[in-house]
Amino acid sequence: MKSSKKFVKYNIYEILLLISFVLILNKGLEYMIIGLYYPLLLSIIFLLPFGYTFLNQGKPLNKIIKYWSILIICYGVIRMFLNVLILIEPGGGIPSGAYYQFTIGYGLKSVLYIILGILLFIKRKLIFSTVL
């Protein structure tokens, strides 16, 4: 008997895009657990254009991914800026709860956002020139 399993092959670009969605939604869910719903609402609003493009199979996906990658880069840069600010001014009017959130892991995650955004921005031209 033959096995009729199909293997779905994803390219690295689709995986990077999916990781960026998961990271942003995960952050929104973390804030939802502590009672703040605005970050999750904002992340859903930012992801709505992808759902619209997916349902309509339109070509503006290239521009949406361009802006998405720029948003991710800006988010990572802001996180890095806050991390450096905390290191420069420890205890300078910053609540202790916020101070202890800026760890090495936080800095590494910020660098991950920047790298992910840059890779998405660079790869989008390559993928869309061959696909579309």
Side-chain angles (χ1 to χ4, degrees):
M1 205 186 289
K2 274 188 162 179
S3 175
S4 64
K5 291 183 181 178
K6 287 187 175 182
F7 292 102
V8 178
K9 293 184 180 179
Y10 295 103
N11 62 23
I12 189 71
Y13 184 74
E14 292 169 339
I15 293 170
L16 290 174
L17 194 59
L18 185 63
I19 289 171
S20 72
F21 293 160
V22 169
L23 286 174
I24 296 296
L25 286 175
N26 183 30
K27 193 50 124 174
L29 290 174
E30 286 177 11
Y31 280 111
M32 189 181 79
I33 289 172
I34 62 172
L36 297 172
Y37 297 101
Y38 298 113
L40 182 63
L41 181 65
L42 280 175
S43 61
I44 290 172
I45 289 171
F46 283 137
L47 291 174
L48 281 177
F50 288 101
Y52 175 77
T53 303
F54 178 74
L55 292 174
N56 290 331
Q57 299 294 323
K59 286 193 176 184
L61 186 62
N62 187 11
K63 287 188 179 194
I64 293 172
I65 292 176
K66 175 180 147 185
Y67 295 125
W68 178 252
S69 60
I70 291 171
L71 281 173
I72 290 175
I73 292 169
C74 290
Y75 183 63
V77 168
I78 289 170
R79 288 173 55 103
M80 284 299 295
F81 175 73
L82 288 174
N83 203 7
V84 169
L85 187 67
I86 293 293
L87 291 174
I88 291 173
E89 292 239 1
I94 299 167
S96 62
Y99 178 74
Y100 291 112
Q101 292 179 2
F102 294 97
T103 61
I104 293 173
Y106 184 90
L108 291 175
K109 198 185 259 189
S110 301
V111 171
L112 176 69
Y113 280 117
I114 294 170
I115 292 171
L116 187 62
I118 291 170
L119 286 175
L120 284 173
F121 190 80
I122 292 170
K123 294 278 187 187
R124 109 192 123 73
K125 288 269 189 185
L126 178 68
I127 296 299
F128 284 104
S129 65
T130 58
V131 173
L132 298 175

